[in-house]
Structure formats: C-alpha cells, structure tokens
Amino acid sequence: MTSLRFKAVAASFKKSPVAVTTPQERPSEYFAKYVFTKEKMYKYLSLSTYNKYLQAIEEGTPLTMEVADAIAAAMKQWAIDHGATHCTHWFQPLTEGTAEKHDAFVEHDNKGGMIENFDGKSLVQQEPDASSFPNGGIRSTFEARGYSAWDPSSPVFILGDTLMIPTVFVAYTGEALDYKAPLKKSLAAIDKAASLVARYFDDKVTHVQANLGWEQEYFLIDADLYNARPDLVLTGRTLMGHDSAKNQQMDDHYFGAIPERVANFMRDLEIRALELGIPCKTRHNEVAPNQFELAPIFEECNLAVDHNMLLMSLMKNIARRHGFRCLLHEKPFAGVNGSGKHCNWSLTTDTGVLLHAPGRTAEETLRFITFTVATLMGVYRHNGLLKASIMSATNSHRLGANEAPPAIISSFLGSQVSALLDKVAQSTNEEIFTMEGKHGVKLDIPQIPEIFIDNTDRNRTSSFAFTGNRFEFRAAGSSANCASAMIVLNTAVAEALTDFSQRVDALIAKGEEKISALLTVLREDIKTCSPIIFDGNGYSDEWKAEAERRGLDCETSCPLIFDRYSDDDTVRMFESQGVMKRAELLARNEIKWETYFKKIQIESRILGDLSMNHIIPVATAYQTVLVDNVMKIRQTFNTADADRLTSYNITLIEKIDKHTRFIVEQVDAMVQARKRANKIESERERAIAYHDEVAPYLQEIRYHIDKLELIVEDERWTLPKYREMLFIR
C-alpha cells in the first residue's frame, strides 16, 4: 500500500473539517466591505466630483482627466486605509479567465525616498502586451500594443493587498480583445432599442437595464486524490475511469445534507464573496456526487459578469485552503451529471418595471407580450449563433446528454404563455388580453399552508425557458465567461426590438392607431418565431427530427458550430447594433478554433502518456503475475487438473492481451492523426480534423482502459478510481 493512489486515498480519509471563523457582524454589515461603493465615494470625493462621476455612469458622458485624477486620489486613499499597496487593471481576455498586472503605489520623491502615488492616468489606462493574449490575428509580436481602460460602471475592489480596477481590453487599432468591451456595447444597444419600445407603454422611460442572475455549478474533490490524477491536473477532467457501482442513481445527493467539510468551505466562500460585494443567496448539493451550486441575487448584467469571474477565482483559492480542488470543467467525470451555468436574464426600466413580468391589466399584458415576442424573435433568428456562444470543447461533453439542454436551441414558454401568444396571433384588435398571476392551491395535508402555483411549469430539457419573470438560458458551461452568451442574446434582442419599433412607427406614420399597430406587428412576429417555441421533451429523437424540419440549427460539431460567428446575418446584426465589426468576429472565430484543437491536442497527449506509462505497464505486470501462476500450476498438477485450475486466469490473460494491444495500436494511430492535423495551416480545418480524426480515439481508448480497471488487481492500479474520488469523506 505504498502507491501514490493509496497514499492519496488514505490522506483523504484523514481530512478533518477546517475551522471557520464566522464574522460577528451580520452579512448586511460587512457586505461590500472591500468595494469602493457609491457610499464610500461620497465620503472620499468632493460633491462636485461625485456628481460628475454619477453623471458619467447614468448618462454615459466621458470623464475628464481632472475628474479622473480626483477619483484616483480618493481610491488610493481608501485602498491604503484598507491595507492595499498595489493596484492592477483587472480584465477578461478571450481565455475564459481574467488577467492582471500589479503596480505598487510608489514613485520617487526626488529626495532619495519614495512616496505613494496613483493618478488619473494610472486609473484610466494601462498597456498590456496584446500579442501575448488570444487575438485571432489582430495583433502580432511586432504589433504588440494594447490598452486596458477603466470601466467606471463596475466598482473597484480590494483583493489581498491589491486595488482591482475592472477594465476593458482593446487593441492599439481599437478592436476589442476581451468580453467586457462588446458586452458593454451590447448593453448600450439593448438599452437604446428597448427604451424606444418601452415608451409605447410609458413615456417616462429613459433607460432599460439588462439583468443577469447566474447559477454556478461546480465539483469539489480532495486535493490529494486530484494530485494523483495527471489527467485532472492538466485537463480538468478524467480521461479514464470506470463508473462507480454507486454514483447518482439513488437521487440521494441532490438537495441532500451538505457534508461538514463542504459546508465550512461554502461559509468561507460566502463570507469572502459578500465582503467583495457578490450577493450570494443560494447554496445546495447538485445532482452528481461531489457536485454543488452557488447562486446570487440578480444584478445589472455587466456587474454580474464581473462578479461571476471573481467568484470562480475565489472558489479555486478557498477550496485549496480546505484541502479541496474546485473543478469547473463541464464534465469532469463520465457517467454522472456535468456542470453548467444557468443565465437568468431579464429587462428592467428605470421606472422600476420588469418587462418580462406577466401583466394583470390589458396594457401590462400587451407590454409583456411585446418584449417576450421580441426576445423570441432574437432567439429564433440567431439560434445557431446562440449555440455557438456557449459551445466549447469542454461544454460539448455535456450538451445533448440527458442531464443538460440538448444541442438545439428552443424556448419553453409554458401552457399559459403559449396559449396567450396563440390568442394574440388569431385575435382581432378589439380583444383584451389578460394573464393570470400566481394562484393559491390548498394541499390536503394537515398543518401545511396554502402554496402559490406559478403561471409556468419548468422544462429542464429546454435550453431557453421562460420561468415566470425572466428567461433562463441553461446551456452555458460552468467554466465559461457568461458574457459570451449575454453579448449574443442582448444584441439579438436589440436587433429584434429595433426592427419591431421601425415597423410599428411606419404603421403609425400611415395613420394606424398605436395599439392596432403594435398588435399587427406582434401577429406577424408570433407566426415568424413560432418554430423556436417548443414545450415538449427536448431530449427525444422525435424533437431532433422536428427541429430540423422547423429549420433550427441542429449541428453538433463544435468547429462547424463556430461558423455561425462569420455568417452574413451575424455580421449584419453586430455591425448594425454597434457591438462588433466583421474583423472582430472573424478574430474570435480564429480564437475559438485554435482553443478547440489545442484542448483536444492536450487531452490526446495526456491520454497517450497515461496509457503507455501507467496503464500498459500496470496491466502487463499483472498479466505476468497471472502467467507465472499458470506456469506454476501446470508444473504442479497433471494436465486435466491444470486445465481446470488455470482456465480463469488464462481467460484474464487473453482479455488483458486484447485490451492492451488495442490501446497500444490506437494510441499510435491517434498520434499519427494528430501529426496529420498539426500540418494543416487553416485554424478552422485543423479544428475540424481534430474533431473528426483525433477526438474519437479518446473515447475508444478510454473504453479499453476502463475494462482493464475492472480486471487488474486493485492494489496494482495506480490512479484513484471513481468510487474513491466521488464521495467526500
């Protein structure tokens, strides 16, 4: 029992719960303790500077360098008061992670000493090397300049000893090299388009805000077991491993009691997150063993994205303190559910109206129908692009399985909303439409109070479902930057709303009454977008055939799905809404193809290495033991007895030979396929080659490794098994 595997398993048994120091204050008292909120800005800034800052946030007016200098001085003083010594521009390059370069608050004082200094220029911009981040050919090594620029709408915060400044990241030539820049442009686009439509119902509306509430799923695994699995360390998922006899089939983990070690981790995570202004609300066990979820209260979309990126970093760091590793891969373990990041999206006016909330009056209901149909139009017109926005090499393992939305974008509305849209489509202008809110249902159980039934059920097979007062985009992956999906969704709906208001205004200009014009255009759009509406079982084979008949995008190949970013309709949409230009879209395609093939390439290399350096030596060593046993039996017993006594071991020897020969042959074939793919110059064609020619070997080789795991003596198997990794002790 001296192998790394057994040492790791033994160490996991010895783990004891980590003590948690819970603050004496209530969460409301330490919430945003390390965030430079408006309340703190009011304290540190002059009233004039504070008002200019608010004007920039609310009206989008640029800040002068004089104002930036004043804000920088206030930020520096607040940061130093809280122990900060450095600052950094914190941005979101196209790597699904974040980036930062720390600078100290020091300058020469020209007297042989140092002074703390932080001015407006340092606040407003820094200059990271743009050629060293994914850029899709926009920047090269000899054209390396890029800029990070302060986003005043997302508050700065302190992490450790560093003042973190949320920023956009753009090339010297102006193209976006991150997620935040196009996200902010998409939010401006939907603000403009939705405000025009909202004013049909309330002329006091001046702004519309997109809201986002993400639900972050993740796995925890003991650090010792994680470190004993090279595939987990280097790829984020297990490239081999036979199912545990017990996994999630008893449905006993979902919403079950949270293990004490995990509860301590969750408390530490929530305390730190709340101190940084992330409004954590919900925590629970998810479906798979070792799988959990954290969800916040919804926030403005840009801030919500920042908070999600920050939280993913916190999760990894705090997990280490508790002897865990946090896995954000969409499918770290085969045979059990993977992890997603549900994006709950809605629109709110500055007058306090939630535009996707069902109405009780005729006017409120018409407003609800208008924004719901516009959303469906955006999703219908760009359903393939929405799928491309959430697709990746890692998320492709999860999508399409009976645990997550299928790889076809459709929208579940529920019987009431579907019936309401049908009624509008077949109506005359004189009809009045109303929508039921929640109604009470008394349960025939003693002491149980009345419960309230929502106006929609839930459909977990729908990738884009209406869930009462929002749409839930359920297809995003757990490791992804959810800005990718939000950029497409915001822009698609902005385009639909722009088109809607132009057609309504044209009818009004011709003398048609406003309500009549609204209903005329709504009827057209309801009929147009009807193919995207599906309330049935999205996992069924019948739906796949029906979706194809309806003209929905049914492509399942990752590299081909990415093609949607370069479609003419996509380019036209993004350019018309001022979000991204063709060059930026084509660059993102190059990055997606490159990222895809590199991830498959890494997995292929790791699998080959583990096969030849772990699996084959272990299997052949055990085979040698069996052969030795057979030979000794044959030397000891007569032929008849020897045949009987050795038959089982001979069968095992033959099985091991069959599986090891297949693995060796297929690893070599996989290497050759990889070499052929690597010679292809086109990023797109190389990604397709990796998808078609290399990736299939991963599953084929795994099958035979997993069979060997069941044959080889347990003590000889070097890698921790699923039954050891999937249950926190």
Side-chain angles (χ1 to χ4, degrees):
M1 298 253 316
T2 58
S3 73
L4 181 60
R5 170 192 162 208
F6 282 108
K7 288 180 180 178
V9 173
S12 72
F13 273 106
K14 295 177 182 178
K15 292 278 171 54
S16 58
V18 176
V20 178
T21 304
T22 304
Q24 298 300 311
E25 310 99 323
R26 298 175 180 176
S28 58
E29 294 174 324
Y30 61 83
F31 179 73
K33 177 180 179 180
Y34 295 108
V35 181
F36 198 46
T37 60
K38 290 180 181 178
E39 178 183 8
K40 291 163 188 167
M41 293 185 80
Y42 185 81
K43 175 181 177 182
Y44 279 85
L45 292 172
S46 69
L47 182 59
S48 173
T49 302
Y50 178 75
N51 287 334
K52 289 175 182 176
Y53 167 80
L54 290 184
Q55 185 180 13
I57 298 300
E58 295 169 3
E59 301 178 14
T61 56
L63 289 169
T64 65
M65 188 54 65
E66 180 184 5
V67 173
D69 278 333
I71 294 174
M75 282 183 183
K76 181 197 71 175
Q77 188 57 54
W78 171 77
I80 291 174
D81 288 348
H82 287 79
T85 58
H86 289 68
C87 67
T88 184
H89 276 200
W90 182 70
F91 56 98
Q92 300 167 24
L94 300 172
T95 59
E96 303 302 328
T98 58
E100 54 200 63
K101 174 175 72 80
H102 297 200
D103 290 324
F105 289 137
V106 293
E107 294 288 349
H108 286 293
D109 66 356
N110 296 321
K111 299 176 183 178
M114 304 292 289
I115 58 171
E116 284 78 20
N117 185 57
F118 180 61
D119 58 18
K121 184 179 179 181
S122 301
L123 168 63
V124 170
Q125 72 178 64
Q126 278 187 345
E127 188 184 328
D129 183 348
S131 67
S132 298
F133 290 99
N135 59 73
I138 288 177
R139 299 273 80 190
S140 60
T141 303
F142 66 91
E143 297 172 320
R145 197 181 296 278
Y147 297 108
S148 55
W150 174 40
D151 173 16
S153 66
S154 186
V156 302
F157 56 95
I158 295 173
L159 197 60
D161 64 356
T162 305
L163 177 67
M164 314 289 285
I165 304 166
T167 61
V168 300
F169 179 43
V170 298
Y172 177 72
T173 46
E175 295 93 347
L177 297 176
D178 69 343
Y179 285 105
K180 182 184 274 284
L183 175 64
K184 288 184 68 64
K185 290 181 179 180
S186 77
L187 292 169
I190 202 165
D191 177 9
K192 178 181 177 181
S195 294
L196 289 173
V197 176
R199 283 195 282 272
Y200 289 135
F201 307 96
D202 182 358
D203 58 11
K204 296 183 179 63
V205 171
T206 59
H207 291 296
V208 171
Q209 172 179 293
N211 306 310
L212 172 62
W214 39 263
E215 303 169 31
Q216 180 70 56
E217 295 175 344
Y218 61 97
F219 280 83
L220 293 176
I221 181 174
D222 274 296
D224 295 290
L225 296 172
Y226 171 88
N227 290 328
R229 290 286 307 226
D231 50 352
L232 265 179
V233 172
L234 296 175
T235 73
R237 76 178 183 108
T238 52
L239 299 175
M240 61 195 70
H242 198 280
D243 288 351
S244 171
K246 179 185 184 298
N247 47 53
Q248 66 186 50
Q249 67 265 48
M250 299 302 294
D251 300 322
D252 55 350
H253 190 258
Y254 188 52
F255 279 24
I258 300 172
E260 185 177 4
R261 284 181 61 204
V262 176
N264 288 339
F265 157 77
M266 288 179 169
R267 279 193 290 272
D268 270 1
L269 175 62
E270 287 180 3
I271 291 168
R272 195 74 184 101
L274 289 167
E275 288 178 337
L276 290 167
I278 305 173
C280 299
K281 178 71 173 178
T282 302
R283 66 189 187 201
H284 63 82
N285 288 5
E286 256 300 334
V287 173
N290 285 20
Q291 188 186 33
F292 309 94
E293 180 179 296
L294 182 151
I297 303 169
F298 77 89
E299 300 178 281
E300 185 274 327
C301 188
N302 177 50
L303 181 59
V305 169
D306 283 357
H307 279 167
N308 183 241
M309 298 305 294
L310 175 57
L311 181 94
M312 289 195 290
S313 177
L314 291 175
M315 292 169 78
K316 293 177 182 178
N317 291 334
I318 294 174
R320 287 175 176 270
R321 299 177 198 166
H322 287 258
F324 292 124
R325 290 295 184 271
C326 178
L327 306 181
L328 294 176
H329 193 289
E330 283 74 11
K331 194 74 170 179
F333 302 102
V336 298
N337 277 19
S339 296
K341 176 150 45 195
H342 300 177
C343 295
N344 295 278
W345 175 88
S346 63
L347 299 174
T348 309
T349 71
D350 56 338
T351 59
V353 174
L354 186 62
L355 296 176
H356 285 118
R360 294 178 180 272
T361 67
E363 184 180 47
E364 289 176 351
T365 301
L366 183 58
R367 182 192 64 216
F368 163 72
I369 294 169
T370 298
F371 281 92
T372 296
V373 170
T375 300
L376 294 173
M377 282 292 289
V379 173
Y380 170 64
R381 286 173 174 165
H382 300 285
N383 67 94
L385 179 62
L386 274 170
K387 180 164 62 177
S389 75
I390 53 81
M391 185 54 73
S392 67
T394 54
N395 205 22
S396 63
H397 295 290
R398 167 179 162 266
L399 292 182
N402 288 355
E403 62 182 73
I408 302 170
I409 302 297
S410 65
S411 184
F412 165 82
L413 299 179
S415 57
Q416 282 197 44
V417 179
S418 294
L420 181 61
L421 296 191
D422 288 341
K423 187 177 180 182
V424 173
Q426 301 165 12
S427 69
T428 62
N429 289 346
E430 288 73 27
E431 292 186 73
I432 297 176
F433 310 100
T434 58
M435 174 113 184
E436 289 185 25
K438 293 184 180 182
H439 58 279
V441 172
K442 291 185 178 180
L443 302 178
D444 190 19
I445 305 173
Q447 301 176 333
I448 300 299
E450 179 181 60
I451 66 172
F452 289 91
I453 304 300
D454 288 280
N455 47 35
T456 66
D457 200 347
R458 283 189 181 272
N459 186 330
R460 296 182 63 82
T461 72
S462 175
S463 49
F464 193 82
F466 178 70
T467 55
N469 58 8
R470 63 195 182 278
F471 282 92
E472 183 179 15
F473 192 17
R474 302 183 65 248
S478 56
S479 67
N481 186 326
C482 43
S484 179
M486 293 297 101
I487 291 165
V488 173
L489 180 58
N490 289 334
T491 310
V493 176
E495 180 193 52
L497 287 165
T498 300
D499 177 66
F500 179 85
S501 62
Q502 288 173 349
R503 288 185 289 147
V504 169
D505 288 347
L507 291 176
I508 293 174
K510 293 178 181 178
E512 192 166 341
E513 293 291 328
K514 180 176 71 174
I515 298 300
S516 174
L518 289 169
L519 288 170
T520 297
V521 177
L522 281 172
R523 289 191 199 98
E524 296 172 358
D525 286 353
I526 291 171
K527 293 173 183 176
T528 299
C529 70
S530 61
I532 204 71
I533 302 171
F534 178 67
D535 289 356
N537 180 9
Y539 295 151
S540 68
D541 291 335
E542 292 80 5
W543 165 236
K544 295 175 185 176
E546 171 65 15
E548 189 169 4
R549 187 189 67 78
R550 294 186 183 192
L552 302 182
D553 191 309
C554 299
E555 182 59 63
T556 58
S557 167
C558 226
L560 296 180
I561 288 170
F562 295 150
D563 284 344
R564 300 289 73 76
Y565 271 93
S566 54
D567 287 347
D568 289 341
D569 285 344
T570 297
V571 175
R572 187 181 307 112
M573 176 191 77
F574 278 117
E575 290 190 338
S576 69
Q577 297 301 313
V579 176
M580 281 190 282
K581 298 177 182 177
R582 179 183 292 273
E584 293 171 298
L585 293 165
L586 295 180
R588 279 159 203 265
N589 254 11
E590 292 289 311
I591 293 167
K592 286 179 179 291
W593 287 319
E594 182 183 13
T595 301
Y596 177 83
F597 89 71
K598 284 183 176 178
K599 287 190 175 182
I600 303 299
Q601 183 184 71
I602 291 169
E603 289 188 349
S604 169
R605 288 173 172 171
I606 295 299
L607 182 61
D609 173 48
L610 291 179
S611 296
M612 304 309 296
N613 292 300
H614 282 256
I615 305 305
I616 297 300
V618 167
T620 53
Y622 183 57
Q623 187 182 45
T624 300
V625 171
L626 295 175
V627 170
D628 184 59
N629 175 265
V630 169
M631 292 175 61
K632 289 179 178 178
I633 289 175
R634 289 194 179 280
Q635 293 169 1
T636 305
F637 297 92
N638 61 45
T639 302
D641 288 339
D643 288 345
R644 175 177 56 81
L645 293 171
T646 60
S647 62
Y648 178 67
N649 280 357
I650 288 174
T651 299
L652 292 182
I653 291 168
E654 291 173 343
K655 286 183 177 180
I656 292 173
D657 176 67
K658 170 190 169 184
H659 294 306
T660 53
R661 276 193 298 109
F662 182 92
I663 292 168
V664 171
E665 291 170 1
Q666 295 304 300
V667 165
D668 182 64
M670 179 175 66
V671 170
Q672 297 307 314
R674 200 168 65 224
K675 288 180 177 178
R676 290 192 298 271
N678 289 341
K679 293 178 182 179
I680 300 173
E681 292 187 7
S682 163
E683 300 284 18
R684 179 181 184 273
E685 297 306 316
R686 192 186 310 175
I688 292 172
Y690 263 92
H691 177 274
D692 295 346
E693 305 297 334
V694 179
Y697 284 110
L698 298 175
Q699 191 58 38
E700 293 172 8
I701 294 170
R702 176 181 189 142
Y703 172 82
H704 289 269
I705 292 175
D706 291 354
K707 289 297 183 182
L708 285 174
E709 183 182 317
L710 295 179
I711 296 172
V712 173
E713 181 185 13
D714 187 62
E715 289 192 10
R716 293 181 181 274
W717 200 256
T718 58
L719 303 174
K721 299 182 177 183
Y722 272 30
R723 59 177 164 79
E724 296 159 342
M725 293 187 290
L726 277 175
F727 300 94
I728 291 174
R729 301 164 182 86

